[in-house]
Amino acid sequence: MGRVVFHIDVNSAYLSWESAWRLQHGETVDLREQIAVVGGDEEKRHGIVLAKSIPAKRLGVKTGETLMEARRKAPGLIVVPPHYDLYMTCSGAMRDILAEYSPAVQQFSIDEMFLEYTGIERLYGPPLEAAHNLRERIKEELGFTVNIGVAENKLLAKMASEFQKPDRVHTLWEREIPHKMWRLPVGELFMVGIRTEIKLRRRGVETIGQLAAMEPDTLKSWFGKYGTMLWQYANGRECSEVGAWTPVKGIGNSATISFDVVDPDEAERILLALSETVALRLRAHGSCARLVSVHGRTHDFRGFQRQHMFHPPTDHTGEIHRRTVRLLHEVWEGQPLRHMGVRVSELVSNDFWQCSLFESERERERALDRAVDSVRSKYGPGALFRSCFLHTGIAPLMGGVSGEDDYPMMKSLL
DNA sequence: TCTGGGGTCCTAGGACCC
DNA sequence: TCTGGGGTCCTAGGACCC
């Protein structure tokens, strides 16, 4: 018997979790059976669909589209706000169940996990039997349904879990590729996004099968390295391990502001709030960054980005903030900003160079960062914040999706 | 009219060095 | 003095995933 991998995918994750929680707390209506979505707050300009029910999907509602668009397709649409902390809890509970079955479980996202089933048959039976057992257990114990894809590698398992939904187990063994995968539209292949789909279709490639039958060199000439990968995926070839550990490459936080930012002082304050969050996470990770970048989106949805290399690397809030301010001013010509972000990457371990730096001013600032971190970890992130945020309407730590419940926005006096 | 937040990887071009 | 190739570093931008 060869390799067996499961891909477990929570059906309509945010909406299912929201619904399961509500049913457990006395609600009688199951959102999954309604024309409903989980969506962001339109007043904060977060008004997109994060998850949709199957009845909403039937009306053409898509993840990522605006709530306006969704309502036009589905009049009377029920929109409920997200609760990210709940979703983390649900995700963790599912991971705990999976861990009982296999030592190799890989979290791919909050609602998708891979499980290596190779060599586990003598404990939990043939793959299909085990997959159904797992699917039932999650439904019984946690109250939400999953699709499970069963195959010889991660790519095929993931493709299999996308077949008919919800609450299903599908296989996509190599011998099943021609009739189960090759007839699908090329855009359904993992890693074929909208841009690549358009390019492929323009060149007459409509299905995954047609992609698989192409000359790999032709694809390479069209898309470079990426083309070679696509050809392999179309042919079901992929051999990465479940749970292969990948180090964190970068840490970033960004936020869409509920109003357009035109005041430079305000922009700098937002950069400080973002830098605080990024630097806090960077230090918690035990790293220093060589690269910092600022990115943004203007009111007309044009994006920009600018970056800078540090030598030596840093994990210092003030240094990161000061640099992001400079970078912003190098590119920003005063267009109203709707979105801003700070990101660090090229991470190195911070214990390696820490001792080599003895510039006293810097050392003092570092010590201050550490002290602030320790107060925040002890009493909560909102325990301490810079007074420049008082009365500004700007949260002192910005970015992230679960933060807003923990440290509420200051009320603006304006 | 309206469009989130968090990531990864690849490419292309310019500067600089040997 | 003029010319070319290859390697590295850096920056901007684009593509993909959830």
Side-chain angles (χ1 to χ4, degrees), chain A residues 218-232:
Chain A
T218 309
L219 283 165
K220 194 176 177 187
S221 73
W222 290 353
F223 301 111
K225 229 179 198 181
Y226 180 66
T228 307
M229 185 199 70
L230 290 184
W231 184 83
Q232 288 182 336

Side-chain angles (χ1 to χ4, degrees), chain A residues 196-246:
Chain A
T196 307
E197 183 185 351
I198 290 168
K199 287 177 196 163
L200 285 169
R201 283 181 183 276
R202 236 188 259 145
R203 290 161 154 142
V205 182
E206 303 277 338
T207 66
I208 299 177
Q210 286 175 296
L211 186 63
M214 283 192 58
E215 205 54 56
D217 283 345
T218 309
L219 283 165
K220 194 176 177 187
S221 73
W222 290 353
F223 301 111
K225 229 179 198 181
Y226 180 66
T228 307
M229 185 199 70
L230 290 184
W231 184 83
Q232 288 182 336
Y233 282 7
N235 283 282
R237 299 186 193 177
E238 191 275 328
C239 61
S240 65
E241 283 171 47
V242 170
W245 183 76
T246 49

Side-chain angles (χ1 to χ4, degrees), chain A residues 8-14 16-17 94 110-112 144-147:
Chain A
I8 301 95
D9 187 333
V10 179
N11 301 127
S12 309
Y14 289 2
S16 292
W17 290 332
M94 182 169 94
I110 194 167
D111 67 331
E112 290 185 30
F144 54 85
T145 65
V146 296
N147 261 40

Side-chain angles (χ1 to χ4, degrees), chain A residues 17-264:
Chain A
W17 290 332
E18 203 62 46
S19 183
W21 188 88
R22 287 170 184 231
L23 291 174
Q24 285 158 18
H25 290 78
E27 179 81 62
T28 52
V29 180
D30 190 333
L31 283 173
R32 287 167 287 200
E33 292 160 8
Q34 307 294 307
I35 299 170
V37 297
V38 174
D41 182 345
E42 286 167 298
E43 292 207 346
K44 288 184 181 162
R45 308 203 291 190
H46 293 182
I48 62 162
V49 174
L50 297 161
K52 62 208 178 279
S53 69
I54 287 174
K57 185 182 180 179
R58 270 191 215 114
L59 295 175
V61 173
K62 295 193 178 97
T63 301
E65 73 185 355
T66 61
L67 292 174
M68 293 267 291
E69 264 176 299
R71 280 198 203 89
R72 204 165 27 122
K73 293 174 180 173
L77 183 72
I78 299 168
V79 180
V80 300
H83 296 98
Y84 295 99
D85 292 348
L86 169 67
Y87 309 155
M88 303 277 269
T89 306
C90 292
S91 178
M94 182 169 94
R95 198 174 51 230
D96 290 344
I97 290 182
L98 299 192
E100 291 179 29
Y101 287 73
S102 169
V105 172
Q106 179 186 0
Q107 181 140 17
F108 186 66
S109 70
I110 194 167
D111 67 331
E112 290 185 30
M113 300 181 199
F114 290 102
L115 182 148
E116 181 72 59
Y117 196 70
T118 313
I120 315 247
E121 273 148 86
R122 59 196 165 75
L123 290 175
Y124 294 100
L128 267 181
E129 195 183 308
H132 277 292
N133 175 274
L134 189 52
R135 179 185 59 80
E136 280 296 331
R137 263 198 72 187
I138 293 169
K139 185 159 66 168
E140 291 303 310
E141 293 178 25
L142 305 179
F144 54 85
T145 65
V146 296
N147 261 40
I148 301 182
V150 180
E152 282 131 334
N153 64 44
K154 283 159 71 178
L155 172 82
L156 293 172
K158 179 156 171 58
M159 293 298 294
S161 69
E162 299 290 314
F163 296 163
Q164 197 188 9
K165 295 175 181 178
D167 201 17
R168 295 280 200 134
V169 173
H170 299 284
T171 58
L172 182 51
W173 304 115
E174 281 167 11
R175 61 184 157 76
E176 299 177 304
I177 289 174
H179 67 280
K180 286 191 175 177
M181 188 168 86
W182 281 351
R183 55 179 183 76
L184 296 175
V186 73
E188 294 195 18
L189 182 64
F190 179 66
M191 290 306 282
V192 175
I194 186 64
R195 307 282 174 180
T196 307
E197 183 185 351
I198 290 168
K199 287 177 196 163
L200 285 169
R201 283 181 183 276
R202 236 188 259 145
R203 290 161 154 142
V205 182
E206 303 277 338
T207 66
I208 299 177
Q210 286 175 296
L211 186 63
M214 283 192 58
E215 205 54 56
D217 283 345
T218 309
L219 283 165
K220 194 176 177 187
S221 73
W222 290 353
F223 301 111
K225 229 179 198 181
Y226 180 66
T228 307
M229 185 199 70
L230 290 184
W231 184 83
Q232 288 182 336
Y233 282 7
N235 283 282
R237 299 186 193 177
E238 191 275 328
C239 61
S240 65
E241 283 171 47
V242 170
W245 183 76
T246 49
V248 176
K249 301 283 171 58
I251 293 171
N253 285 100
S254 64
T256 293
I257 325 296
S258 54
F259 54 92
D260 282 340
V261 177
V262 288
D263 175 9

